[in-house]
Amino acid sequence: MSHNTLGHLFRVTTWGESHGPAIGCVVDGCPPRIPLAEAEIQSFLDKRRPGTSRFTTQRQEPDAVRILSGVFPDPDSGEQVTTGAPISLVIDNLDQRSKDYSDIKDKFRPGHADITYDAKYGLRDYRGGGRSSARETAMRVAAGAIARKIIPGVTIRGALVQIGARAIERANWDWAETARNPFFCPDPRAAADWEDYLDEIRRAGSSIGAVVEVTASGVPAGWGAPVYGKLDQDLAGAMMGINAAKGVEIGAGFAAAALSGEENADEIRMGPEGPVFLSNNAGGILGGISSGQDIVVRFAVKPTSSILSPRRTIDRHGKETEISTRGRHDPCVGIRAVPVGEAMMAIVLADHYLRHRAQTGA
Amino acid sequence: MSHNTLGHLFRVTTWGESHGPAIGCVVDGCPPRIPLAEAEIQSFLDKRRPGTSRFTTQRQEPDAVRILSGVFPDPDSGEQVTTGAPISLVIDNLDQRSKDYSDIKDKFRPGHADITYDAKYGLRDYRGGGRSSARETAMRVAAGAIARKIIPGVTIRGALVQIGARAIERANWDWAETARNPFFCPDPRAAADWEDYLDEIRRAGSSIGAVVEVTASGVPAGWGAPVYGKLDQDLAGAMMGINAAKGVEIGAGFAAAALSGEENADEIRMGPEGPVFLSNNAGGILGGISSGQDIVVRFAVKPTSSILSPRRTIDRHGKETEISTRGRHDPCVGIRAVPVGEAMMAIVLADHYLRHRAQTGA
Amino acid sequence: MSHNTLGHLFRVTTWGESHGPAIGCVVDGCPPRIPLAEAEIQSFLDKRRPGTSRFTTQRQEPDAVRILSGVFPDPDSGEQVTTGAPISLVIDNLDQRSKDYSDIKDKFRPGHADITYDAKYGLRDYRGGGRSSARETAMRVAAGAIARKIIPGVTIRGALVQIGARAIERANWDWAETARNPFFCPDPRAAADWEDYLDEIRRAGSSIGAVVEVTASGVPAGWGAPVYGKLDQDLAGAMMGINAAKGVEIGAGFAAAALSGEENADEIRMGPEGPVFLSNNAGGILGGISSGQDIVVRFAVKPTSSILSPRRTIDRHGKETEISTRGRHDPCVGIRAVPVGEAMMAIVLADHYLRHRAQTGA
Amino acid sequence: MSHNTLGHLFRVTTWGESHGPAIGCVVDGCPPRIPLAEAEIQSFLDKRRPGTSRFTTQRQEPDAVRILSGVFPDPDSGEQVTTGAPISLVIDNLDQRSKDYSDIKDKFRPGHADITYDAKYGLRDYRGGGRSSARETAMRVAAGAIARKIIPGVTIRGALVQIGARAIERANWDWAETARNPFFCPDPRAAADWEDYLDEIRRAGSSIGAVVEVTASGVPAGWGAPVYGKLDQDLAGAMMGINAAKGVEIGAGFAAAALSGEENADEIRMGPEGPVFLSNNAGGILGGISSGQDIVVRFAVKPTSSILSPRRTIDRHGKETEISTRGRHDPCVGIRAVPVGEAMMAIVLADHYLRHRAQTGA
């Protein structure tokens, strides 16, 4: 129920504002005796960290995570492991560049949460977006790193498959490529093209949308539950909950609307290790329950609303005005949404793994 | 957390299988003293009821709902009102056509939940799909009728905007038209076209996917909550949780990926009654909170997996075989998904209304 | 969160009023493939059923339970088993004696929920207490019967240990005796004494309080969880939530306040099958987690507020008046609270078993 | 569901171990624009702080709390207020006296959570009790300070009413007295008596149990909800969840078992401001809903298990041994349980206030 908690049995509660002293999260429900070191969490944070290329915000944050609770040396091995108690993670905010907020303080950026926070709460922490800042997603990535450790047979990978109208060629897909360009792009030719394209957008002080694809391999059949505990329901919610997300699809997704029953049916044969599907329009989920195939989710993110061109807007006193945003921001928030999407996949799967284990003992 | 419960403060718990004695739900958390009669719920059920045209399943069910608890005459007006206690609704299953299930009993329909239920639970109620049947959605519609009563200023309407690859012309949109054709189609020309198109599919024993659009007008600014209680997060989950849904988008949705920040920004002016937005790419939600604009959600549904053409599959003993489904089914489940989508919108909004009232007193 | 749902993973949602058409519950989260027949549930309901002796209300209700969903023949054994889907249970209300409610309709019985329901909701179903009636506890007993089936190694037994100021002699304790008298009393001498004592109270149209003790044997060490998922926390809440309960204690309970650390410490030795405690002041729970010892809970119930002697009160219009309750009622609600207390123990333990299994895999 | 979260709408998630780097909590669901300063929270922490008299543990902790998120200057008044975002509170652990844990590391203290944590998780943070330490209750007190601010008309006060077998004289009750002695005792004569009594216990390295009473005045009629959202159910759970608690009672409590219906009925008259009850056996709660009277809860705490006299026990390898606890500890944990009980009352009431507002709009 909690507005700032994700998950049911594997639960992640995040806190903190973009320009407050720190951000953090509490991960509760983690099974005991799972080896966990800060360095493992850090490696995922480093993928999301701002300032790693010219295509992300130039804010400088080392994003060094500290574990404040919930771990202890294993009495037998001496290795640091989880204790079953809540794990508290904290990242200090360091580069809270002191600046003049007089422009943004009272004006609402079109396409931004400024106006709705104000409508709901009667005030907002306007510094860097406060609670609505994408900075919060650092804690999702940190929690996702823990989630991965409790579903060790599952491989979760994300990629950027479209920037603006420019989609990758699926025939060129190479997972290894995602580590070689600043876009997490699996298609080397698209990555080269995007570099020029995004440079132009960046220089113009503009921004552009994107599509992210996340897959999970190795999920056994049986995770998820009818009818309101569906795995795809929770994945859709989790991905739509990422900042700037406006659409989510699973497997064939919106393309399934144009398919006939014959085309859509993923036929089944028997392989040496169990059922083998001849296609994956389902995206690995049938009736809300994993089928054993790869789980495939895509989500669309809109362009960031912080742009240089002046837009018409109002201020909190209802006066008409204009706004243009200088400051540091991402020309394409979709890039850093890739590790965030991976983290959401990991958190949802870890939660469903525990839920499945509770009901079935598996 | 419950697998069969939707919502947090306005909570809907459904139960029942397609061919069991009855289906039902318990609606908990409803505010007291809200007038509620069976006839009001029935009118929404009648929209979703099977057998009303040749384009939906020919199963004959009056779907007559009974209220078993939670209502009582108001001491002042004498009118039947909610008491604040849980409302139990039941619909008896009448047309459980006795048939030979020997074919479907052991075989898994490709694209259907048969195989995943079996993988998870070790058994399944195969009669008519059991718990995975779209019959369960009748209770969503019933609960949605109650949800509408607690957010009286909000108008929720749904429409079918695409069947197969054939989309409506948005310029032709006329809400009144949705009541004049068997497709809930807002475009009279598309409706005429679909009639022939779907007849052909129906006669061939095939099926086809579709896209449903649901809007909510009159939602005040402020409903929803960062960062894991986002209105769009919950709407995405709710819509993806509808049987056969494979994609969800809000406002500009996937098209937002191709927009620049300038194009995407919904500029704001001041009107006589408050802020006025010059466009609605946001679909009425910013930062997870309603902006006061229309909330616009679309979801794609895949074609039903019950088709006449034989498909390759396996049975529960792992033996390779084929299956073709005779029986009664919907050639396009998207049609009856329209009132279901409306109900999900109503349930999510009612829940968020109560959550907003809890935190802010508004 | 739901006001009418108990439990987190094993979830019981009840509905229905004393004089409505029926009462029922939905049990969600039950593991699949557990044999379950109506007769098994019925045997527990028969223990709680009204009208079985002159010491309980004379309302005549067979309390015949029907299972409407969530069970199906096991594909291998053919035996009816749970499917993992929600189990809907219904009991029709038959003996809703038509009577004149004009007296109770507007007046508040002192010590009864009449006045607080009215304050909260602005109305109440006054017929037989409506939702606040102890009739609701029939569904707890029914759900408890299912709960017992998922923790098969655990034996749960309840007894009445005090009526008014008359407590049993613990030295006389004999579990078999609880089935031989109408009080679930484990002490034959106390039972004989209570018979006369309660006859007198009954004839005077009065009522009296009582203390119930419930134990669970065979609970392995490890169920429950710090620090807000404590087993004793949930048991205390569950028992205090039984109609008329005013106190709960575990193990030594309130007597522990007078103990020194030396007296209270349950010393530990090693037995052939693991740790052996030399006493059980802890009542089987340490730090919120089961120790493997018997879990021992006691709760006090107040006398029913429906009595013959006139009491001063007000009506819903704020007018001072008097009230005396004729009608059928229990002279000592503690008697029928015994099977209810057992059911609450079973439900809490089943829930914690699943929670423990989720986190630890045990 | 979360094991380390208390509450549904006003939610408190605590984390941290006794001898880790820090302890903390996240308070979510707090209404916006409530003035909140660290000093207000600190004043309650100072009541619970260890080392303030010779009757509590001599551990020296300033327990200085920091607010890391969820507050911001009000745009109109400039005063620091809540923003509606989660409030993160942290207290650093300073006096983690470096010591030799070799004795306690492997042995289980009788009456302590050592053995059950080990049984559940396979390990435990043994330093100062780790997660099971009463140190965790500092965060309850901090969260309770915030809870009080959202129910401003409610006065919550606690008192120690019994140490060992020595109860106060109710005729001597004076709330002002609780601030004048180190026991929060409302009876000056009892306080004087306890001073010698507890000195003796302390010098002997022993410990003793106690009874705490907490009252809430000013709670309007209507908070709480049938049938599993009862105010007394949640209070009982919350109080039983306090470290060392073994019993909870409300109003007449266990004494109600010996009352007749006539004695127990709190008769009602009409006063100038509404209903007036002539007694308060109900402890302010009827049918799980507040009646407008004072809410009165008592809970018993057992003596601490850390005592000097050697007790028989086993170690984690199953070997029989003895243990005696030196170190710093409270001779009567009941004393510091008083502000903790107050905090639990505040948290439960704040949560129910929001739940009541959600359903009824009141």
Side-chain angles (χ1 to χ4, degrees):
Chain A
M1 166 61 229
S2 184
H3 292 149
N4 293 282
T5 298
L6 182 69
H8 297 271
L9 293 184
F10 182 84
R11 290 174 69 84
V12 179
T13 302
T14 73
W15 56 265
E17 285 82 29
S18 174
H19 285 56
I23 56 172
C25 73
V26 183
V27 176
D28 198 13
C30 192
R33 294 191 96 156
I34 291 179
L36 183 67
E38 282 170 355
E40 293 173 285
I41 303 173
Q42 195 63 49
S43 68
F44 289 97
L45 282 167
D46 289 346
K47 278 182 73 176
R48 195 213 70 101
R49 197 154 56 83
T52 51
S53 85
R54 68 183 182 278
F55 302 111
T56 62
T57 172
Q58 294 308 297
R59 178 169 174 169
Q60 294 301 324
E61 288 287 356
D63 279 356
V65 69
R66 284 176 298 139
I67 302 177
L68 296 187
S69 66
V71 293
F72 202 69
D74 185 281
D76 300 322
S77 71
E79 187 180 19
Q80 179 171 281
V81 296
T82 59
T83 63
I87 301 167
S88 173
L89 303 178
V90 176
I91 293 175
D92 290 326
N93 287 330
L94 300 180
D95 186 13
Q96 313 148 39
R97 188 179 291 188
S98 106
K99 59 173 277 194
D100 179 8
Y101 287 110
S102 55
D103 202 52
I104 199 180
K105 186 164 89 79
D106 287 329
K107 292 184 186 174
F108 303 134
R109 283 163 286 178
H112 195 277
D114 294 340
I115 191 169
T116 52
Y117 270 63
D118 196 85
K120 185 176 189 76
Y121 299 118
L123 84 165
R124 68 183 208 281
D125 180 345
Y126 45 76
R127 301 166 307 160
R131 183 70 183 147
S132 74
S133 166
R135 181 138 188 77
E136 186 270 344
T137 61
M139 300 320 305
R140 305 188 188 207
V141 171
I146 299 177
R148 286 174 194 254
K149 300 233 35 173
I150 74 172
I151 44 169
V154 176
T155 302
I156 295 167
R157 292 181 291 192
L160 202 66
V161 297
Q162 186 182 326
I163 288 188
R166 305 180 178 208
I168 61 158
E169 277 290 336
R170 295 216 154 238
N172 298 342
W173 193 294
D174 175 6
W175 278 114
E177 192 61 31
T178 59
R180 293 190 201 114
N181 60 65
F183 309 107
F184 303 110
C185 177
D187 171 358
R189 271 194 267 180
D193 171 56
W194 292 352
E195 194 143 348
D196 293 339
Y197 177 58
L198 207 54
D199 259 334
E200 199 176 325
I201 288 165
R202 185 175 58 84
R203 280 192 222 101
S206 183
S207 64
I208 191 74
V211 176
V212 176
E213 181 167 320
V214 181
T215 70
S217 307
V219 176
W223 294 8
V227 298
Y228 302 117
K230 285 178 176 159
L231 188 52
D232 36 1
Q233 175 175 338
D234 284 355
L235 283 171
M239 298 305 175
M240 192 66 97
I242 295 174
N243 306 42
K246 297 306 286 183
V248 183
E249 59 182 13
I250 290 178
F254 274 88
L259 297 180
S260 69
E262 289 76 12
E263 293 164 332
N264 184 65
D266 300 319
E267 292 183 296
I268 318 174
R269 298 283 79 187
M270 206 59 202
E273 288 165 22
V276 173
F277 295 82
L278 305 186
S279 54
N280 191 9
N281 288 308
I285 303 176
L286 289 166
I289 301 171
S290 62
S291 67
Q293 287 193 282
D294 278 5
I295 293 174
V296 181
V297 181
R298 271 177 304 282
F299 61 98
V301 291
K302 66 180 183 185
T304 178
S305 51
S306 299
I307 51 174
L308 205 57
S309 308
R311 297 285 102 184
R312 286 173 291 176
T313 190
I314 59 172
D315 67 17
R316 66 187 300 274
H317 307 293
K319 202 166 141 281
E320 297 193 340
T321 179
E322 285 199 337
I323 191 165
S324 73
T325 315
R326 255 150 255 276
R328 305 161 296 183
H329 68 265
D330 292 279
C332 177
V333 285
I335 301 171
R336 292 207 289 142
V338 174
V340 179
E342 289 179 6
M344 296 307 266
M345 174 72 89
I347 291 168
V348 170
L349 288 178
D351 190 38
H352 272 280
Y353 164 59
L354 299 183
R355 289 157 76 174
H356 180 64
R357 183 157 78 174
Q359 192 176 15
T360 69
Chain B
M1 166 60 232
S2 185
H3 292 149
N4 293 281
T5 298
L6 183 70
H8 297 271
L9 293 184
F10 182 82
R11 290 172 69 84
V12 179
T13 302
T14 73
W15 56 266
E17 284 83 28
S18 175
H19 284 56
I23 55 173
C25 74
V26 183
V27 176
D28 198 13
C30 192
R33 295 191 95 157
I34 292 180
L36 184 68
E38 281 170 355
E40 294 174 285
I41 302 172
Q42 194 63 51
S43 69
F44 289 98
L45 282 167
D46 289 346
K47 279 182 73 175
R48 195 214 70 101
R49 196 155 56 83
T52 51
S53 86
R54 67 182 184 277
F55 302 111
T56 62
T57 172
Q58 294 308 298
R59 178 170 174 169
Q60 294 301 324
E61 289 285 358
D63 277 359
V65 70
R66 284 176 296 141
I67 303 178
L68 297 187
S69 67
V71 293
F72 202 68
D74 185 281
D76 301 322
S77 70
E79 186 180 21
Q80 178 171 282
V81 297
T82 59
T83 62
I87 302 166
S88 172
L89 304 177
V90 175
I91 293 174
D92 290 325
N93 288 330
L94 300 180
D95 186 12
Q96 313 148 37
R97 187 177 296 187
S98 103
K99 59 173 278 189
D100 179 8
Y101 287 112
S102 54
D103 202 51
I104 201 182
K105 189 165 88 77
D106 287 330
K107 292 183 186 175
F108 302 134
R109 282 165 287 176
H112 195 278
D114 293 340
I115 191 169
T116 52
Y117 270 64
D118 196 85
K120 185 177 188 75
Y121 299 118
L123 84 165
R124 68 184 208 282
D125 180 343
Y126 46 75
R127 301 166 307 159
R131 183 71 184 147
S132 75
S133 168
R135 182 138 188 77
E136 186 270 343
T137 61
M139 299 320 304
R140 304 188 188 207
V141 171
I146 299 176
R148 285 173 195 254
K149 300 233 37 174
I150 74 172
I151 46 170
V154 175
T155 302
I156 294 166
R157 292 181 290 196
L160 201 66
V161 298
Q162 185 181 325
I163 288 187
R166 302 177 179 212
I168 62 159
E169 275 291 334
R170 295 215 153 237
N172 298 342
W173 193 294
D174 177 5
W175 277 115
E177 192 60 35
T178 58
R180 296 192 198 113
N181 61 64
F183 308 108
F184 305 110
C185 178
D187 172 358
R189 271 194 269 181
D193 171 55
W194 292 353
E195 194 143 346
D196 294 339
Y197 178 57
L198 207 54
D199 260 333
E200 200 177 323
I201 288 165
R202 186 177 55 83
R203 281 193 222 101
S206 182
S207 63
I208 192 75
V211 176
V212 175
E213 181 166 321
V214 181
T215 70
S217 307
V219 176
W223 294 7
V227 296
Y228 302 117
K230 285 179 175 159
L231 188 52
D232 37 0
Q233 175 174 339
D234 284 356
L235 283 171
M239 298 304 175
M240 191 66 96
I242 294 175
N243 307 39
K246 298 307 286 183
V248 183
E249 59 182 13
I250 290 177
F254 275 88
L259 297 180
S260 70
E262 289 75 12
E263 293 164 331
N264 182 66
D266 300 318
E267 292 182 297
I268 319 174
R269 297 285 79 185
M270 205 60 201
E273 287 163 22
V276 173
F277 295 82
L278 304 186
S279 54
N280 192 8
N281 288 308
I285 303 175
L286 289 167
I289 301 171
S290 62
S291 66
Q293 288 193 281
D294 280 4
I295 292 174
V296 182
V297 180
R298 271 176 305 281
F299 61 96
V301 291
K302 65 180 183 186
T304 178
S305 50
S306 299
I307 50 174
L308 204 58
S309 308
R311 295 285 102 184
R312 285 174 289 176
T313 189
I314 59 172
D315 67 17
R316 64 187 301 274
H317 306 293
K319 201 166 142 279
E320 297 194 340
T321 178
E322 284 198 339
I323 192 165
S324 74
T325 316
R326 255 149 256 275
R328 306 161 295 182
H329 67 266
D330 292 280
C332 177
V333 286
I335 301 171
R336 295 206 289 143
V338 173
V340 179
E342 290 179 6
M344 297 306 268
M345 175 72 90
I347 292 168
V348 169
L349 288 178
D351 189 39
H352 272 280
Y353 165 58
L354 298 183
R355 290 157 74 173
H356 181 63
R357 182 157 81 173
Q359 192 177 15
T360 69
Chain C
M1 165 61 229
S2 184
H3 291 148
N4 293 281
T5 298
L6 183 69
H8 297 271
L9 294 184
F10 182 84
R11 288 173 69 85
V12 179
T13 301
T14 72
W15 55 266
E17 285 83 27
S18 175
H19 285 56
I23 56 172
C25 73
V26 183
V27 176
D28 197 12
C30 192
R33 295 191 97 156
I34 292 180
L36 183 67
E38 282 171 355
E40 293 173 286
I41 302 173
Q42 195 63 50
S43 69
F44 288 98
L45 282 167
D46 290 346
K47 278 184 74 176
R48 195 215 71 102
R49 194 154 57 84
T52 51
S53 85
R54 68 183 184 277
F55 301 112
T56 62
T57 173
Q58 294 307 298
R59 178 169 175 169
Q60 294 300 325
E61 289 286 359
D63 278 358
V65 70
R66 283 176 297 140
I67 303 177
L68 296 187
S69 67
V71 293
F72 202 68
D74 185 282
D76 301 322
S77 71
E79 187 180 18
Q80 178 171 281
V81 297
T82 58
T83 62
I87 301 166
S88 173
L89 303 178
V90 175
I91 293 174
D92 290 325
N93 287 331
L94 300 180
D95 186 13
Q96 313 149 39
R97 187 179 293 188
S98 105
K99 59 171 280 192
D100 180 9
Y101 286 111
S102 55
D103 202 53
I104 200 180
K105 187 164 90 77
D106 287 330
K107 292 183 187 175
F108 303 135
R109 281 163 287 177
H112 195 277
D114 294 340
I115 191 169
T116 53
Y117 270 64
D118 196 85
K120 184 177 190 77
Y121 299 117
L123 84 165
R124 68 184 207 283
D125 181 344
Y126 46 77
R127 302 164 306 161
R131 183 71 183 147
S132 75
S133 166
R135 180 137 189 77
E136 185 270 344
T137 60
M139 299 321 304
R140 305 188 187 206
V141 171
I146 299 177
R148 286 174 195 253
K149 300 234 35 175
I150 73 172
I151 45 170
V154 176
T155 302
I156 295 167
R157 292 180 291 194
L160 201 65
V161 298
Q162 186 181 326
I163 289 187
R166 302 180 180 208
I168 61 157
E169 276 290 334
R170 297 217 151 234
N172 297 341
W173 194 293
D174 176 8
W175 278 114
E177 191 60 34
T178 59
R180 296 192 198 112
N181 60 66
F183 308 107
F184 304 110
C185 177
D187 171 357
R189 270 194 267 181
D193 172 55
W194 292 354
E195 194 143 348
D196 294 339
Y197 177 58
L198 206 55
D199 260 333
E200 200 176 325
I201 289 165
R202 184 176 58 82
R203 281 193 222 101
S206 183
S207 64
I208 193 74
V211 176
V212 175
E213 181 167 321
V214 181
T215 71
S217 307
V219 176
W223 294 7
V227 296
Y228 302 117
K230 285 179 176 161
L231 187 53
D232 37 0
Q233 175 174 339
D234 285 355
L235 283 171
M239 298 304 175
M240 191 66 96
I242 295 175
N243 307 41
K246 297 307 286 184
V248 183
E249 58 181 13
I250 290 177
F254 274 88
L259 296 180
S260 69
E262 289 76 11
E263 292 164 332
N264 183 65
D266 300 318
E267 293 183 295
I268 318 174
R269 298 284 80 185
M270 206 60 201
E273 288 163 22
V276 174
F277 295 82
L278 305 186
S279 54
N280 191 8
N281 288 308
I285 303 175
L286 289 167
I289 301 171
S290 63
S291 67
Q293 288 194 282
D294 279 5
I295 293 174
V296 182
V297 180
R298 272 177 303 282
F299 62 98
V301 291
K302 66 180 183 186
T304 179
S305 51
S306 299
I307 52 175
L308 203 59
S309 308
R311 296 284 103 184
R312 286 174 288 176
T313 189
I314 61 172
D315 66 18
R316 64 186 300 274
H317 307 293
K319 200 164 142 283
E320 297 194 340
T321 179
E322 284 200 338
I323 192 165
S324 74
T325 316
R326 256 151 256 274
R328 304 163 295 184
H329 67 265
D330 292 280
C332 177
V333 287
I335 300 171
R336 293 207 287 144
V338 173
V340 178
E342 289 179 5
M344 297 306 268
M345 175 73 89
I347 291 167
V348 170
L349 288 178
D351 190 39
H352 272 280
Y353 165 60
L354 298 183
R355 290 158 75 174
H356 181 63
R357 183 158 77 173
Q359 191 175 15
T360 69
Chain D
M1 167 60 230
S2 184
H3 291 148
N4 292 282
T5 298
L6 183 69
H8 297 271
L9 294 183
F10 182 83
R11 290 173 68 85
V12 179
T13 301
T14 73
W15 55 266
E17 284 83 28
S18 174
H19 285 58
I23 56 173
C25 73
V26 183
V27 176
D28 197 12
C30 191
R33 293 190 97 156
I34 292 180
L36 183 67
E38 282 170 354
E40 294 173 285
I41 303 173
Q42 195 63 50
S43 69
F44 288 98
L45 282 168
D46 289 347
K47 278 183 74 176
R48 195 214 70 103
R49 195 154 58 83
T52 51
S53 86
R54 69 182 183 278
F55 302 111
T56 62
T57 172
Q58 294 308 297
R59 177 169 175 170
Q60 293 301 323
E61 289 285 357
D63 277 356
V65 70
R66 284 177 297 141
I67 302 177
L68 296 187
S69 67
V71 294
F72 203 69
D74 185 281
D76 300 322
S77 70
E79 187 181 19
Q80 178 170 281
V81 297
T82 58
T83 63
I87 302 166
S88 172
L89 304 178
V90 175
I91 293 174
D92 291 325
N93 287 330
L94 301 180
D95 186 12
Q96 313 149 36
R97 186 180 293 187
S98 103
K99 59 171 281 194
D100 179 9
Y101 287 110
S102 54
D103 201 51
I104 201 180
K105 187 164 87 79
D106 287 328
K107 291 183 187 176
F108 303 134
R109 282 164 289 177
H112 195 277
D114 294 338
I115 191 169
T116 53
Y117 270 64
D118 196 86
K120 185 176 190 75
Y121 299 117
L123 84 166
R124 67 184 208 282
D125 181 343
Y126 46 77
R127 301 165 307 161
R131 183 71 182 147
S132 75
S133 167
R135 181 140 187 76
E136 185 272 343
T137 61
M139 297 323 303
R140 306 188 187 207
V141 171
I146 299 176
R148 286 173 194 254
K149 299 232 40 176
I150 74 171
I151 45 170
V154 176
T155 302
I156 294 167
R157 291 181 292 194
L160 201 66
V161 298
Q162 185 182 325
I163 289 188
R166 302 180 180 209
I168 62 158
E169 276 292 332
R170 295 216 152 234
N172 298 341
W173 193 294
D174 176 6
W175 277 115
E177 191 61 33
T178 59
R180 294 192 200 113
N181 61 65
F183 309 108
F184 304 110
C185 177
D187 171 359
R189 270 194 268 180
D193 171 54
W194 292 352
E195 192 143 349
D196 293 340
Y197 177 58
L198 206 55
D199 259 334
E200 201 177 324
I201 288 164
R202 184 176 57 83
R203 280 192 222 103
S206 182
S207 64
I208 192 77
V211 176
V212 175
E213 181 167 321
V214 181
T215 71
S217 307
V219 176
W223 295 7
V227 298
Y228 302 116
K230 286 179 176 160
L231 187 53
D232 36 0
Q233 174 175 339
D234 284 356
L235 283 171
M239 298 304 175
M240 191 67 95
I242 295 174
N243 306 41
K246 299 304 287 183
V248 182
E249 59 181 14
I250 290 177
F254 274 88
L259 296 180
S260 69
E262 289 76 12
E263 293 164 331
N264 183 65
D266 300 319
E267 293 184 295
I268 318 174
R269 298 284 80 185
M270 206 60 201
E273 289 164 20
V276 174
F277 296 82
L278 305 186
S279 54
N280 192 9
N281 288 308
I285 304 175
L286 288 167
I289 301 171
S290 62
S291 66
Q293 288 193 281
D294 280 5
I295 293 174
V296 182
V297 180
R298 272 177 303 282
F299 61 97
V301 291
K302 66 181 184 185
T304 179
S305 51
S306 299
I307 51 175
L308 204 58
S309 308
R311 295 284 103 184
R312 285 174 290 176
T313 190
I314 60 172
D315 66 18
R316 64 186 300 273
H317 307 293
K319 199 163 144 284
E320 297 193 340
T321 178
E322 284 199 339
I323 193 166
S324 74
T325 316
R326 257 151 254 275
R328 305 162 297 182
H329 67 265
D330 291 279
C332 177
V333 285
I335 300 171
R336 293 206 288 142
V338 173
V340 178
E342 289 180 6
M344 296 306 268
M345 175 73 90
I347 292 168
V348 169
L349 288 177
D351 190 39
H352 272 279
Y353 165 59
L354 298 182
R355 290 157 74 173
H356 181 63
R357 183 157 79 172
Q359 191 176 16
T360 69

